[in-house]
Every structure is written in structure tokens, then in C-alpha cells.
Amino acid sequence: DKTTTAMNTTLRCFAGRAAAARTSVHSHHLTSKSQQQLAFVSSLHSPSTSTWLSSIYSARSFSAASTEQAPEIKLYQYHICPFCNITKSVLSYAKLDYEKVEVNPLTKQELKPWSGDYKKVPIAVIDEEQVNGSEPIIDALLDTQYVQQFLQSRWNDEASDKDAMTMQQFQNSENSQKWMRYAVDDLAALLYPNICGTLGDSYDAFSYVKNVDSFTGGQKISIQMLGSLAMYFAASRVKSKRNITDEKKALKEALDKFEHEGLDDGKLSYCSGVSTPDLGDVAVFGVLYSVNGLQAHTDSIQLRGGPVKEWYDRMHISVMGEKAQHQIKLGVTCD
């Protein structure tokens, strides 16, 4: 029946994303548009900062374009998807403006019919070109001349010449790749059982739909009801596949590893080992930020405290441009 079909669709999407290390790339041009029509993307404003520079030059796909030109970026996503939040964290860290489209996890109507056979998220449309999956999207952005120049300028400003990050170190160093893989392969999968371990928790995790203006009232109800049920079963499958008996303990142990090996028990400001974060830092932050406002976030960041919370607060400023406001319970804020 329709209910079972919707549940199975959502199960395949979320469980598949939790188990997969990477997503495939399927790129094609959606429409034709003159390169000269590319517009400057307006500045992105943050509550604690003035103006964030937000333009990007797509050197790989549009090598003929001027470095002054910035392509339009549209990101199709699920609000609580850790892979989508890794992508958004990279976009924010590079101060890139983009249009965000929330996808209905039951119907995926927003992806039809233009996305072809690929029906997972995130999908980015960068200046009319479709790029599928968080890692291919990140690679495409970091490969552009504009982003490389912007980030190098940022790193030079934030650190001494001796300590300044390089693009090679940021993206491809052994350390960066180690914690990128940790974020994608391990930490992201552990979040599903922690936010959807019970039907009540799963229902709360889908409360974000109340703030999605593009969804109708009926869609919001159906997504929260059916989506939370499907995610609950998907989380159970993740636990079974990874032999997890205590999801909270498993998440704690994963963060213990990050604290000990990545942050050297608090001796390092970032797992990059220098005074600015690398891609591994940004990816781990993105995964944890995806559950912001949920009990799993309270448990893993606020109540845990110590080096992980201190690192998270530094990353929040570096990525989001503002100080993190930690909500514990009953609307109480703690710094």
C-alpha cells in the first residue's frame, strides 16, 4: 500500500546513506545559459559578523569564465542529513552563498524529473551542472580557483606564515583524510540510532518540517509521522549491521577516539594540528551540527564538555561566523 511504499522509500534513502562511504557522480547540463549572464552572489549575513564574501568561480566546469564571476549554487538537502550538513559546513567555511531546497523525504518531488536516476541527497546544481553526493560536491568546490584563492587568503590572515594552512594540507593530508573518513564512515552512521532510537526521539528529529515553508500542512504531518517511523526502523538496521547494543555508549566511544587521537586530549585546538581547521575538522563539525537542537547534540557536546565542546565552539565560530548558543533543556542557554 502507499504507506508501506513511502516507508520503504525513506528506509532505503536513510539506511543507504548511513552505510555508504561515498556517493556516485552523475553530472549533466540542466539548461543552457550564457556564461556572461552569471551574476554576483549577494553577501551572506551572520548575526555576529558584518558581510561575508560569497562568490565562487567554477574553474573546472567553466574554465572560460572570469575569476570575477560567481556561479549560482543550489543545494538539495534534508535538514538532519549529516552528509548534507558536511557540505553546508564547507560552503559556510568558504563563505559561499547558495540557495537551499528542502527535499520531501517521502516523495522526493523536488528532484523529479531533472535529477535522473539519482534520488539521494545532497545534490548540488552549480551553474547549471548537477553534482551528486557530499564528497563530489566538496571536491568540485575546492577545485575552483576562486575558492582556493579565498581560502589561502583567509589562512594567511588567520595564521603566521610558518603555521598557515595550504590547500593540499586542508584537503588531502593524511590527517585531513583520516578524520574526513571518520566523519563520513563512522560518526554519521552512529547519529541515526542516537536520534531515532525510539519512536519518540525519531518523531522529535522530524520536527524540523514545521519550519519548512515549502511544505503544505498535510505534507508536514505525513513527513513527521511516516518519516519518523521509517527512520526508527532504519536506525534499528544500522544498529544490527554494526553490532551496536548501546547507541549512546557507541557514540561516546567514537567521540572519545576523536578527543584522544584527533585533539590529543585537548592539547590541539583542531585535529589539523595547526591553528586553523582542515577538511577533517569541518566534516566532523558538520556531522555533529546536523543534530543541533536534539538530545543527541546535548549529550555529545554540551553535557560532555571538555576538549570536544571547546573544539566544537571554536569550529562554530570558524564555520558559522558566530558563537554557539547551547540549548540544554527548557530553553536554558549555556555558553
Side-chain angles (χ1 to χ4, degrees):
D1 59 22
K2 293 182 178 180
T3 300
T4 302
T5 301
M7 288 170 55
N8 287 338
T9 300
T10 312
L11 271 169
R12 287 194 299 270
C13 173
F14 284 103
R17 288 311 305 268
R22 290 178 176 264
T23 51
S24 61
V25 182
H26 172 63
S27 299
H28 60 81
H29 291 290
L30 302 177
T31 60
S32 61
K33 182 179 180 182
S34 172
Q35 292 300 312
Q36 286 72 28
Q37 292 177 325
L38 292 174
F40 288 103
V41 181
S42 58
S43 296
L44 175 66
H45 294 282
S46 171
S48 66
T49 58
S50 54
T51 301
W52 280 17
L53 179 63
S54 58
S55 58
I56 177 176
Y57 164 63
S58 182
R60 179 167 63 182
S61 299
F62 303 97
S63 57
S66 166
T67 56
E68 296 297 323
Q69 294 176 316
E72 297 177 356
I73 302 173
K74 183 179 288 187
L75 183 70
Y76 294 81
Q77 62 129 39
Y78 297 147
H79 179 75
I80 57 175
C81 167
F83 307 101
C84 298
N85 278 275
I86 292 174
T87 304
K88 290 189 292 183
S89 293
V90 172
L91 286 165
S92 294
Y93 182 72
K95 306 295 188 289
L96 297 173
D97 198 14
Y98 62 98
E99 179 183 353
K100 182 171 60 179
V101 179
E102 192 68 34
V103 175
N104 185 325
L106 302 182
T107 65
K108 300 183 178 66
Q109 186 62 42
E110 294 78 7
L111 305 180
K112 300 174 182 177
W114 60 267
S115 67
D117 295 332
Y118 194 86
K119 292 296 186 291
K120 297 178 181 180
V121 291
I123 296 177
V125 178
I126 305 174
D127 226 6
E128 304 178 13
E129 185 164 320
Q130 178 181 336
V131 184
N132 300 336
S134 57
E135 294 180 70
I137 294 169
I138 292 168
D139 288 343
L141 293 172
L142 295 181
D143 196 39
T144 64
Q145 182 178 342
Y146 179 84
V147 171
Q148 291 178 3
Q149 291 176 342
F150 173 81
L151 288 179
Q152 195 61 64
S153 177
R154 173 177 179 169
W155 296 328
N156 290 340
D157 290 341
E158 293 177 346
S160 64
D161 292 339
K162 180 181 178 181
D163 202 27
M165 180 74 69
T166 65
M167 181 56 69
Q168 170 65 24
Q169 184 180 3
F170 177 81
Q171 185 178 11
N172 297 317
S173 70
E174 181 179 350
N175 219 38
S176 174
Q177 285 298 303
K178 172 182 178 178
W179 296 109
M180 178 67 170
R181 297 264 53 84
Y182 162 86
V184 171
D185 300 340
D186 299 326
L187 191 60
L190 288 175
L191 285 189
Y192 290 107
N194 276 275
I195 65 174
C196 299
T198 68
L199 286 174
D201 287 343
S202 189
Y203 187 81
D204 289 342
F206 276 82
S207 62
Y208 75 88
V209 299
K210 298 175 183 178
N211 299 319
V212 181
D213 294 336
S214 59
F215 293 162
T216 67
Q219 287 176 323
K220 292 177 182 180
I221 293 173
S222 63
I223 291 171
Q224 190 165 18
M225 294 289 290
L226 296 178
S228 61
L229 183 62
M231 276 293 288
Y232 168 74
F233 287 114
S236 298
R237 290 178 58 185
V238 172
K239 288 179 64 175
S240 177
K241 182 174 182 178
R242 291 177 170 261
N243 298 316
I244 298 172
T245 56
D246 186 335
E247 60 271 18
K248 291 186 178 181
K249 180 181 179 182
L251 179 57
K252 179 184 180 302
E253 290 175 348
L255 290 174
D256 287 345
K257 175 182 178 179
F258 179 69
E259 179 176 318
H260 178 63
E261 298 180 21
L263 301 176
D264 195 11
D265 297 317
K267 295 182 180 67
L268 299 177
S269 296
Y270 304 101
C271 68
S272 65
V274 294
S275 60
T276 52
D278 63 13
L279 185 58
D281 285 290
V282 176
V284 175
F285 172 81
V287 173
L288 294 173
Y289 188 79
S290 69
V291 295
N292 185 38
L294 300 177
Q295 187 62 44
H297 192 272
T298 299
D299 293 340
S300 58
I301 304 298
Q302 293 98 291
L303 297 182
R304 178 187 178 92
V308 170
K309 180 182 179 297
E310 294 168 1
W311 164 87
Y312 182 90
D313 288 345
R314 284 190 292 270
M315 287 300 301
H316 198 284
I317 293 173
S318 183
V319 173
M320 310 305 294
E322 60 183 348
K323 187 177 181 180
Q325 295 295 314
H326 295 297
Q327 304 295 324
I328 299 296
K329 290 183 179 179
L330 301 178
V332 177
T333 301
C334 77
D335 293 329

